[in-house]
């Protein structure tokens, strides 16, 4: 046997030990997270019973199919916009610019007016229709901007003139907001990949609806009384209770939209660029998160908004603030208009990201910055949800009674 059984060494949990394999602790965290959420879900079932009703959601759309103002708003406007832009090559530059400005302005104003005045349009239908209009607005802006750049550098003019009506419609339905003369195309449609994405879309959509019916709605309904009585401790308790299902639904929605849905559309159209998101979950700064969780919007902002401002002499901080300001406007536009009430909670929540990004970037690094990003997502969203639901409840239920 050896005489010496001790050597100079640090404890494993000391930072100086160089030890980095914490897989068991990570598994423990996952198990604890699953058990704690399982307890919350079981408590919800015992308290409220089974509230999931898929037929209820379907009946909302089939109740009166002849009075779907949201669908009519989408179907009626999009072909006119596409036809207008396909014919811009046959008119003068000045006339085309005037039509461009009028078309984009009327697109937002008329859609907002319709959503505000048509009483049969539900908030969900309003969000969907205004979301489609916003996407079309950004696409047509990119189409005009890109063709202007081509004319300025006097390149690819002949290619531009040969762009067909069908190619313009391809761009409208393609999972991108940035126009270019030739998109990368995949060689074939992978049927198995397409079927997996379709099954994910169907399953996750039903899961989202079920979680909202079973978990979100009762929690929000029980939050109204503490808000009316201004019971601060109960308000905080309701906020923290809502944070768990809200964040889980947000994560599922992210996967459903940015991975399943956009990949499904891209595969159908053989669209080659599938970078719809990057590793935002590893964000150590707020700026990195906003630049990587929604790549289509980030590319549009960078290409058509941020870089043009830098070229015109605007400093970097003001340009970033302007991007957040535009994003805040569209966030508020997509919430307040469908709810038919003017509030600034989404706008202020987005603008609060500017000082938060400065603080995290200056004082927090590494895991601390990543934790700050997660906290802002987990806590910030349910605050906005409760504020809007409370105001909507006061306007449409308390005031009417």
């Amino acid at each position: 046997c050896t005489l010496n059984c001790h050597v100079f060494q640090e404890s494993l949990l000391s930072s100086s030990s160089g030890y980095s394999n914490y897989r068991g602790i990570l598994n423990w965290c996952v198990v604890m997270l699953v058990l704690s959420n399982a307890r919350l879900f079981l408590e919800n079932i015992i308290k409220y019973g089974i509230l999931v009703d898929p037929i209820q959601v379907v009946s909302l759309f089939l109740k009166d199919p002849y009075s779907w103002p949201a669908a009519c708003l989408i179907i009626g406007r999009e072909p006119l916009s596409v036809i207008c832009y396909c014919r811009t090559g046959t008119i003068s530059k000045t006339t085309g610019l005037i039509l461009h400005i009028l078309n984009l302005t009327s697109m937002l104003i008329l859609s907002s007016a319709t959503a505000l005045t048509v009483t049969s349009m539900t908030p969900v239908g309003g969000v969907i229709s205004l979301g489609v209009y916003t996407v079309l607005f950004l696409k047509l802006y990119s189409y005009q901007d890109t063709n202007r750049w081509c004319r300025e550098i006097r390149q690819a003019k002949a290619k531009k003139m040969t762009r067909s009506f069908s190619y313009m419609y391809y761009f409208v339905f393609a999972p991108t907001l940035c126009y270019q003369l030739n998109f990368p195309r995949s060689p074939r449609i992978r049927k198995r990949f397409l079927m997996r994405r379709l099954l994910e879309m169907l399953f996750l959509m039903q899961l989202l609806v079920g979680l909202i019916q079973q978990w979100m709605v009762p929690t929000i309904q029980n939050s109204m009384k503490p808000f009316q009585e201004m019971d601060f401790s109960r308000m905080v308790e309701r906020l923290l209770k809502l944070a768990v299902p809200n964040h889980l639904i947000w994560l599922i929605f992210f996967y459903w939209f940015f991975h399943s849905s956009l990949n499904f559309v891209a595969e159908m159209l053989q669209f080659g660029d599938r970078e719809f998101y990057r590793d935002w979950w590893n964000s150590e700064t707020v700026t990195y998160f906003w630049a990587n969780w929604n790549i289509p919007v980030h590319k549009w902002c960078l290409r058509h908004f941020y870089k043009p401002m830098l070229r015109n002499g605007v400093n970097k901080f003001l340009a970033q603030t302007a991007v957040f300001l535009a994003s805040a406007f569209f966030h508020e536009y997509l919430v307040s208009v469908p709810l038919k009430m003017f509030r600034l909670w989404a706008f202020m929540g987005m603008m609060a990201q500017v000082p938060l990004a400065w603080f995290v970037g200056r004082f927090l690094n590494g895991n601390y910055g990543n934790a700050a990003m997660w906290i802002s997502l987990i806590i910030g969203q349910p605050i906005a949800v409760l504020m809007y639901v409370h105001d909507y409840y006061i306007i449409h239920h308390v005031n009417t009674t």
Side-chain angles (χ1 to χ4, degrees), residues 3 18 48 51 78 117 129 148 155 184 274 340 344 371 379 382:
L3 297 177
Y48 302 109
L51 301 178
E78 186 173 320
T117 56
S129 61
R148 178 173 59 83
Q155 290 180 358
R274 307 296 176 87
K340 297 180 175 64
L344 292 174
I379 301 299

Side-chain angles (χ1 to χ4, degrees), residues 301-365:
C301 292
L302 197 67
R303 186 190 194 201
H304 298 286
F305 200 56
Y306 181 73
K307 287 185 177 180
M309 283 191 291
L310 294 183
R311 288 195 295 267
N312 290 328
V314 180
N315 67 62
K316 186 176 180 180
F317 177 76
L318 288 179
Q320 289 178 344
T321 304
V323 171
F324 274 106
L325 186 65
S327 178
F329 165 78
F330 280 107
H331 275 76
E332 191 63 48
Y333 168 76
L334 293 173
V335 178
S336 288
V337 175
L339 292 177
K340 297 180 175 64
M341 62 180 192
F342 179 72
R343 296 295 186 273
L344 292 174
W345 306 126
F347 183 87
M348 291 188 294
M350 279 300 302
M351 293 310 298
Q353 299 295 309
V354 177
L356 178 64
W358 175 85
F359 176 82
V360 173
R362 185 176 181 86
F363 297 104
L364 300 177
N365 297 312

Side-chain angles (χ1 to χ4, degrees), residues 49-62:
I50 302 297
L51 301 178
V52 179
D53 185 9
I55 306 300
Q56 180 186 18
V57 179
V58 177
S59 64
L60 291 176
F61 294 93
L62 299 181

Side-chain angles (χ1 to χ4, degrees), residues 104-398:
L104 294 185
T105 304
S106 64
M107 190 180 300
L108 295 182
I109 294 177
L110 293 179
S111 60
S112 301
T114 304
L116 290 172
T117 56
V118 177
T119 57
S120 59
M121 183 179 293
T122 63
V124 175
V127 170
I128 295 174
S129 61
L130 294 183
V132 171
Y133 268 63
T134 301
V135 169
L136 189 59
F137 174 92
L138 298 177
K139 282 176 176 283
L140 295 182
Y141 187 98
S142 177
Y143 178 80
Q144 190 274 340
D145 232 14
T146 304
N147 281 311
R148 178 173 59 83
W149 294 336
C150 291
R151 288 193 300 269
E152 289 176 353
I153 62 178
R154 297 183 181 277
Q155 290 180 358
K157 184 176 181 180
K159 291 182 180 180
K160 170 190 174 296
M161 298 302 294
T162 59
R163 295 297 90 182
S164 63
F165 184 79
S166 60
Y167 187 80
M168 181 61 186
Y169 251 106
Y170 178 87
F171 170 57
V172 168
F173 288 101
T176 179
L177 299 176
C178 295
Y179 178 78
Q180 65 185 55
L181 298 179
N182 293 285
F183 292 109
R185 304 292 291 272
S186 55
R188 62 184 181 87
I189 298 177
R190 297 168 293 178
K191 293 181 175 61
R192 290 185 178 180
F193 179 88
L194 195 68
M195 186 58 63
R196 286 198 298 269
R197 300 291 82 79
L198 177 61
L199 293 176
E200 287 176 354
M201 290 168 58
L202 297 175
F203 171 75
L204 292 178
M205 175 53 69
Q206 186 57 57
L207 180 60
L208 285 170
V209 173
L211 287 174
I212 292 173
Q213 290 178 322
Q214 184 68 46
W215 209 344
M216 284 280 288
V217 173
T219 304
I220 291 174
Q221 290 175 343
N222 291 336
S223 303
M224 294 300 99
K225 186 176 180 181
F227 268 81
Q228 291 176 345
E229 298 175 352
M230 296 304 294
D231 187 345
F232 184 74
S233 60
R234 290 284 294 169
M235 288 166 58
V236 174
E237 186 270 337
R238 292 288 95 184
L239 173 65
L240 295 177
K241 189 171 184 178
L242 181 63
V244 175
N246 179 84
H247 187 63
L248 181 61
I249 289 170
W250 182 82
L251 290 175
I252 295 174
F253 174 81
F254 166 82
Y255 187 91
W256 173 81
F257 183 76
F258 287 98
H259 186 76
S260 301
S261 300
L262 292 186
N263 267 297
F264 177 83
V265 174
E267 193 68 24
M268 285 286 292
L269 298 176
Q270 295 179 258
F271 187 79
D273 187 2
R274 307 296 176 87
E275 190 184 42
F276 305 122
Y277 55 89
R278 298 192 189 107
D279 61 334
W280 57 265
W281 46 86
N282 293 326
S283 301
E284 297 180 358
T285 63
V286 176
T287 305
Y288 186 88
F289 167 78
W290 287 108
N292 291 277
W293 92 279
N294 188 340
I295 295 299
V297 171
H298 172 68
K299 285 182 177 179
W300 189 95
C301 292
L302 197 67
R303 186 190 194 201
H304 298 286
F305 200 56
Y306 181 73
K307 287 185 177 180
M309 283 191 291
L310 294 183
R311 288 195 295 267
N312 290 328
V314 180
N315 67 62
K316 186 176 180 180
F317 177 76
L318 288 179
Q320 289 178 344
T321 304
V323 171
F324 274 106
L325 186 65
S327 178
F329 165 78
F330 280 107
H331 275 76
E332 191 63 48
Y333 168 76
L334 293 173
V335 178
S336 288
V337 175
L339 292 177
K340 297 180 175 64
M341 62 180 192
F342 179 72
R343 296 295 186 273
L344 292 174
W345 306 126
F347 183 87
M348 291 188 294
M350 279 300 302
M351 293 310 298
Q353 299 295 309
V354 177
L356 178 64
W358 175 85
F359 176 82
V360 173
R362 185 176 181 86
F363 297 104
L364 300 177
N365 297 312
N367 291 332
Y368 295 104
N370 184 254
M373 181 273 296
W374 281 113
I375 291 174
S376 67
L377 287 177
I378 296 172
I379 301 299
Q381 291 178 1
I383 291 177
V385 170
L386 286 178
M387 298 301 290
Y388 279 108
V389 171
H390 172 264
D391 292 348
Y392 188 83
Y393 176 81
I394 293 296
I395 293 174
H396 292 85
H397 295 279
V398 176

